[in-house]
Amino acid sequence: MMGDPRGFLEVNRELPPPRAVPVRLKDWREVYEDFPAGSLEAQASRCMDCGVPFCNQGCPLGNLIPDWNDLIYRSRWSEAIEALHATNNFPDFTGRLCPAPCESACVLGINADPVTIKQVEFEIIDRAWEEGWVRPVPPGHLTGKSVAVVGSGPAGLAAAQQLTRAGHLVTVYERADRVGGLLRYGIPEFKLEKRVIDRRLAQMRAEGTRFVTNTDVGVDVSAAELRSGCDAVVLAGGATNWRDLPIPGREATGVYQAMEYLPLSNRVQEGDFDEPSISARGKAVVIIGGGDTGADCLGTALRQGATSVHQFEIMERPPDLRSDAHPWPGWPFTYKVSSAHQEGGERIYAVSTKAFLLDDAGRLRGLRYVEVEQHLVDGRPSFDEVPGTETELPVELAFLAMGFTGPDESPLLAQLGVERDARSNVARDDTYSSSVDGVYVCGDMGRGQSLIVWAIAEGRACAASVDRALMGHTDLPSPVLPGDRPL
């Protein structure tokens, strides 16, 4: 039985307050204020003795959510971090960035506000760092086997840490100048301060993981050279092939992909330069794409001093409440307001951009868009223009944030000769093995664009498969199979 069987009846859901918008727009620090330990323990008491914890199944990592909620309610914080780390290498990442499918699957959420699972996770790991409970876990023995991990995003880091702890010599290759992948150069500082990554990397280095940066495998090091120096290769390069918008005026100066824009502000925070080469300061901005990447562009543009920001989304505005089309415990497609949306900007739904408008010098001066009506064709959304609704919007800067279609067409994949699936991802079987013996793939490179929690889960599962192949058995946990989906 949970510690307080009446907690969910007597305690309302509560989250830490955000810093005031005018204050936080002046810096790049994370958004939310501290949450008192007593308040968090009260929130943990809302976890029900529900019999079947659907939150476990909603979480790709299978986090032991009722266990650490009960431990927090009882103020047993050091035990809670042990339970949390048992299934998640990086709760400091997921506690900040995961959209929390566990909360969507919470039994309490059927007819009330769900348990604040994500906030409890966040507070456990940050308290653990403050108390010195997070320490290196070096392997008890070395196997003599070596593994190369290509890509240092959450999937690659999770696979590397698990394989290092299993006793293998692991080298992580990253083509950028710093480790972290999209965590480093895609997620803005106000959502994930990079000190959070750096402290994890220090732990991993102390455990024995090696990192090699500024190395594009397939260019600086050939696939043959890589394979000759190791017993297995794990591909974890992500889905970085961005979706473009091939309409008239796309070549205008002032039209950029989101991932041409976002890394620059992160590099400013790293001290690489004082001002980004692409800045929204004093400009009217439009963001095409209504997802998380678009929200990241929004928060960044507002901090840079944009005069106005519009965010376009071709889909209809989602409903405020879960619809019958998305029943519990699955993920509900509902209207969500991120911290960036609270800061400003205007969201416009059910519109399609038809053309970018250029001035005489070839610079962006505006765009033409039209309202659309959505309907389904063979279960997939299709859009019809609404006659008479074409509109022009004056803008000076446009960011394309329409998602990613799969991994880059890199020399590495060509040199390895790995097969692709129908969606252009690297094909793999239920052991995360590619079509090439000894080459494995995990995270978005094999799955397609997805959530950070799925990347970590796949990295852990892939590590277990590699360890089993190298040693004949494994003690590493394997939380998910390729292609698994949350409830």
Side-chain angles (χ1 to χ4, degrees):
M1 179 179 292
M2 302 302 293
D4 185 354
R6 295 185 57 82
F8 71 97
L9 296 172
E10 298 173 351
V11 179
N12 293 324
R13 178 181 169 98
E14 183 184 358
L15 292 169
R19 295 188 293 130
V21 169
V23 173
R24 69 186 197 238
L25 286 182
K26 294 179 180 179
D27 62 42
W28 294 84
R29 290 173 42 222
E30 291 179 5
V31 167
Y32 295 97
E33 302 278 7
D34 293 337
F35 203 45
S39 297
L40 189 80
E41 291 169 4
Q43 289 301 300
S45 78
R46 299 182 70 240
C47 190
M48 303 167 64
D49 188 15
C50 57
V52 178
F54 280 84
C55 55
N56 289 152
Q57 300 174 59
C59 174
L61 284 161
N63 278 340
L64 307 175
I65 295 163
D67 301 62
W68 37 261
N69 272 328
D70 185 54
L71 289 166
I72 291 302
Y73 168 70
R74 299 174 187 276
S75 300
R76 292 159 60 177
W77 287 74
S78 62
E79 295 174 66
I81 187 55
E82 294 298 323
L84 182 50
H85 269 152
T87 57
N88 188 352
N89 296 68
F90 310 123
D92 24 9
F93 302 164
T94 53
R96 288 168 166 82
L97 303 176
C98 181
C102 54
E103 293 190 14
S104 299
C106 175
V107 173
L108 183 57
I110 295 175
N111 62 352
D113 291 331
V115 176
T116 58
I117 298 169
K118 179 178 174 179
Q119 189 63 36
V120 174
E121 178 181 15
F122 172 93
E123 299 291 345
I124 291 172
I125 182 57
D126 270 30
R127 171 77 174 270
W129 280 107
E130 291 172 4
E131 298 288 347
W133 296 331
V134 184
R135 303 183 182 92
V137 184
H141 68 285
L142 297 178
T143 64
K145 303 289 186 179
S146 61
V147 181
V149 177
V150 183
S152 68
L157 292 179
Q161 185 166 61
Q162 292 295 94
L163 288 166
T164 296
R165 290 176 173 180
H168 307 304
L169 177 62
V170 179
T171 303
V172 179
Y173 292 87
E174 170 57 54
R175 62 184 173 183
D177 59 341
R178 294 182 179 92
V179 175
L182 288 182
L183 295 174
R184 175 73 64 181
Y185 287 131
I187 304 298
E189 189 84 359
F190 59 83
K191 286 178 63 175
L192 177 70
E193 294 180 13
K194 301 309 177 256
R195 62 177 178 82
V196 176
I197 304 173
D198 293 337
R199 67 190 182 186
R200 276 295 179 186
L201 296 179
Q203 178 199 34
M204 293 180 66
R205 288 187 175 99
E207 292 170 350
T209 303
R210 297 176 62 242
F211 294 95
V212 178
T213 56
N214 291 306
T215 301
D216 190 352
V217 180
V219 178
D220 302 310
V221 177
S222 71
E225 291 172 319
L226 183 73
R227 298 201 68 193
S228 68
C230 63
D231 298 289
V233 173
V234 175
L235 302 178
T240 53
N241 191 24
W242 53 55
R243 183 175 282 108
D244 211 338
L245 186 60
I247 59 175
R250 170 64 179 88
E251 73 283 359
T253 300
V255 181
Y256 301 98
Q257 285 285 349
M259 290 309 300
E260 294 177 301
Y261 171 60
L262 292 173
L264 298 174
S265 63
N266 283 348
R267 286 190 174 278
V268 170
Q269 302 308 309
E270 295 277 9
D272 292 348
F273 35 78
D274 294 332
E275 294 291 333
S277 57
I278 305 172
S279 175
R281 185 179 306 280
K283 294 181 179 179
V285 176
V286 66
I287 300 162
I288 300 175
D292 289 341
T293 303
D296 293 344
C297 291
L298 170 62
T300 299
L302 292 173
R303 281 163 177 76
Q304 290 177 343
T307 58
S308 66
V309 185
H310 291 81
Q311 186 174 10
F312 284 8
E313 170 58 63
I314 196 170
M315 306 291 284
E316 298 172 348
R317 183 190 185 279
D320 291 323
L321 300 176
R322 186 194 290 270
S323 70
D324 292 341
H326 304 104
W328 178 90
W331 179 257
F333 289 88
T334 55
Y335 183 69
K336 295 178 174 62
V337 180
S338 72
S339 63
H341 292 127
Q342 295 169 350
E343 295 165 356
E346 181 179 353
R347 303 164 82 176
I348 302 178
Y349 288 90
V351 294
S352 177
T353 305
K354 293 186 61 81
F356 294 111
L357 308 177
L358 287 62
D359 65 14
D360 293 339
R363 295 185 298 262
L364 181 68
R365 66 170 180 82
L367 56 77
R368 184 180 303 115
Y369 69 94
V370 64
E371 296 178 15
V372 295
E373 291 181 340
Q374 177 182 330
H375 59 279
L376 296 179
V377 177
D378 296 329
R380 299 179 63 84
S382 182
F383 304 92
D384 293 328
E385 296 182 2
V386 179
T389 62
E390 281 200 12
T391 306
E392 290 190 6
L393 177 70
V395 295
E396 301 159 275
L397 204 55
F399 300 123
L400 308 182
M402 302 180 297
F404 303 88
T405 60
D408 286 342
E409 298 297 327
S410 69
L412 172 61
L413 300 184
Q415 291 171 18
L416 288 171
V418 292
E419 294 180 1
R420 303 290 192 97
D421 64 18
R423 297 166 58 223
S424 83
N425 303 314
V426 178
R428 71 265 182 92
D429 62 19
D430 60 5
T431 68
Y432 293 84
S433 297
S434 75
S435 58
V436 177
D437 186 48
V439 177
Y440 300 79
V441 60
C442 62
D444 289 4
M445 184 170 266
R447 180 184 189 82
Q449 181 184 358
S450 190
L451 307 178
I452 182 174
V453 66
W454 274 107
I456 296 172
E458 288 213 355
R460 287 170 62 87
C462 181
S465 289
V466 173
D467 187 42
R468 184 181 295 108
L470 294 178
M471 305 305 296
H473 67 280
T474 186
D475 294 325
L476 296 176
S478 182
V480 292
L481 293 174
D484 282 353
R485 299 287 177 187
L487 290 170

